[in-house]
Amino acid sequence: MNLKYLEYFQTLAEYEHYGRAAEELTVAQSSLSHGIDCLEKELGVYLFEKQGRNVALTRQGRLYLSYVQGALGLLADGRRQLMRCASGKISIGFVSSVRSYLLGQMQRFVAEFPQYGCMFELYEGVTDPLTGDLRGERIDLLLASEPGDGQGLTSTRLLRQKLVVIQPASRLYFTKERITVKELAEIPLILHTPGSGMRRVTDGLFEANACRPVIVGEASEDSVILPMTAMGIGAAIVTESDYLDRADIATAELSDTENYRYVYMILKKGRYLPQPVLDFIEQGLLTAEAYLEKDGDKEQGHRRITE
């Protein structure tokens, strides 16, 4: 079956007019008519019927169109994937708390492996929406909390980040250097929005301590929670990072045995990844410098990726 004739069929079905379809395809109207005739003879059915100066799909044509659109769509997806392989593009989704870490790993990778000539596409957001982008293959890999529904995905523990409590420097809710989760439950708190990995972490902390927080605000990103805290809206639990070093924010340690969150590298199972992406994973992320875990975790994580 001639692929070109399938494209003719799909375009004619859209325009329902030989002249306009031929113009869209940049072919002679006679060539379009010949292609449709050949396709109908091969299939043994009429795909179109005349309606004045236009044409319309027959019942068989409408049935066949759905299959042609699906097949041509898959071929177009394959073409885009091949173009991405050739371009060396690497698309990465990530949560805000790993921004500095990711940029550092990219800088080191580009400096040590200039031959790759990679182009990075970065998408910052919340775990659950980014997981949808990963499943839809709009990104190649994801650095985030472990997804709530990990079906069809593979997760490798990459980083452990310490959790700290922040409060407005101009309005201290407590003066201790360490505070427990139960004590936090009595303070107005700004939490991460439902659907984020950090919200699952904080909800788990309060559930483990048999208490419920007083929620006065929600935000999806630490970069939004910080100014909300500085304004005096409430305290918050965030990951420890350089961006906490500001005069209008006071920090304290979270006195809990689980005072950290894990960041995972998440991939879609069974998906073909271009070589530049695989090389960045192996040489840029899964390196001794990249891990903040014990040696056993390093080795286990590396095996998961190479399997």
Side-chain angles (χ1 to χ4, degrees):
M1 184 169 290
N2 193 317
L3 178 61
K4 180 171 62 175
Y5 295 163
L6 295 179
E7 294 173 344
Y8 286 2
F9 167 65
Q10 179 176 255
T11 305
L12 183 58
E14 178 183 355
Y15 286 92
E16 297 184 333
H17 189 278
Y18 272 95
R20 290 194 290 271
E23 183 178 351
E24 173 66 22
L25 292 164
T26 64
V27 299
Q29 189 169 325
S30 58
S31 298
L32 172 60
S33 179
H34 174 73
I36 297 299
D37 288 342
C38 290
L39 188 59
E40 290 179 330
K41 288 178 182 177
E42 184 174 353
L43 295 172
V45 297
Y46 288 108
L47 299 173
F48 294 95
E49 57 185 356
K50 290 185 178 181
Q51 288 190 349
R53 300 180 65 179
N54 291 0
V55 293
L57 287 167
T58 62
R59 181 173 61 85
Q60 296 92 335
R62 288 194 298 273
L63 173 65
Y64 191 52
L65 178 62
S66 62
Y67 292 98
V68 170
Q69 289 174 328
L72 293 179
L74 286 174
L75 290 172
D77 288 343
R79 187 182 303 117
R80 284 192 291 270
Q81 291 289 353
L82 288 176
M83 292 176 65
R84 290 185 62 196
C85 292
S87 67
K89 186 183 296 182
I90 302 175
S91 298
I92 306 172
F94 66 99
V95 292
S96 58
S97 64
V98 300
R99 184 192 307 151
S100 297
Y101 161 76
L102 175 59
L103 293 175
Q105 294 305 107
M106 289 167 49
Q107 184 179 29
R108 188 185 64 81
F109 180 75
V110 170
E112 293 185 11
F113 301 92
Q115 66 272 24
Y116 290 105
C118 292
M119 182 178 119
F120 289 93
E121 287 183 340
L122 302 182
Y123 300 91
E124 185 174 356
V126 181
T127 296
D128 285 3
L130 287 172
T131 300
D133 290 336
L134 182 64
R135 286 196 171 98
E137 300 190 5
R138 290 179 288 276
I139 57 176
D140 298 313
L141 63 120
L142 172 60
L143 304 183
S145 299
E146 193 168 27
D149 175 15
Q151 186 176 3
L153 305 175
T154 177
S155 302
T156 302
R157 187 178 290 178
L158 191 64
L159 301 173
R160 188 172 75 176
Q161 297 180 318
K162 186 177 179 180
L163 298 178
V164 296
V165 180
I166 60 173
Q167 60 177 327
S170 60
R171 182 185 175 186
L172 296 178
Y173 296 102
F174 57 91
T175 57
K176 299 189 298 183
E177 294 182 356
R178 294 171 61 86
I179 185 169
T180 66
V181 174
K182 287 190 175 181
E183 289 171 327
L184 276 180
E186 301 175 1
I187 296 172
L189 290 176
I190 306 165
L191 296 186
H192 291 76
T193 51
S196 65
M198 269 296 291
R199 182 58 176 266
R200 286 193 287 271
V201 171
T202 52
D203 284 349
L205 286 173
F206 289 107
E207 289 173 8
N209 286 272
C211 56
R212 300 180 64 179
V214 179
I215 304 174
V216 294
E218 294 178 332
S220 60
E221 310 271 354
D222 284 2
S223 58
V224 179
I225 290 178
L226 258 66
M228 290 176 67
T229 302
M231 290 167 57
I233 295 176
I237 303 173
V238 297
T239 53
E240 187 176 46
S241 63
D242 295 340
Y243 54 70
L244 298 181
D245 186 17
R246 43 189 291 176
D248 53 1
I249 291 290
T251 63
E253 290 192 22
L254 181 62
S255 180
D256 192 275
T257 55
E258 300 293 321
N259 63 342
Y260 52 84
R261 62 88 67 97
Y262 286 109
V263 174
Y264 292 78
M265 181 177 63
I266 308 165
L267 301 171
K268 182 179 178 181
K269 288 182 179 177
R271 179 187 175 185
Y272 170 79
L273 290 175
Q275 194 60 44
V277 178
L278 294 174
D279 288 339
F280 178 68
I281 289 172
E282 295 290 339
Q283 305 297 334
L285 295 178
L286 297 183
T287 60
E289 295 85 355
Y291 278 87
L292 299 182
E293 294 301 304
K294 296 179 180 179
D295 291 342
D297 289 335
K298 269 192 286 187
E299 294 170 1
Q300 184 181 17
H302 190 77
R303 282 200 300 274
R304 288 185 195 144
I305 289 301
T306 54
E307 285 174 350

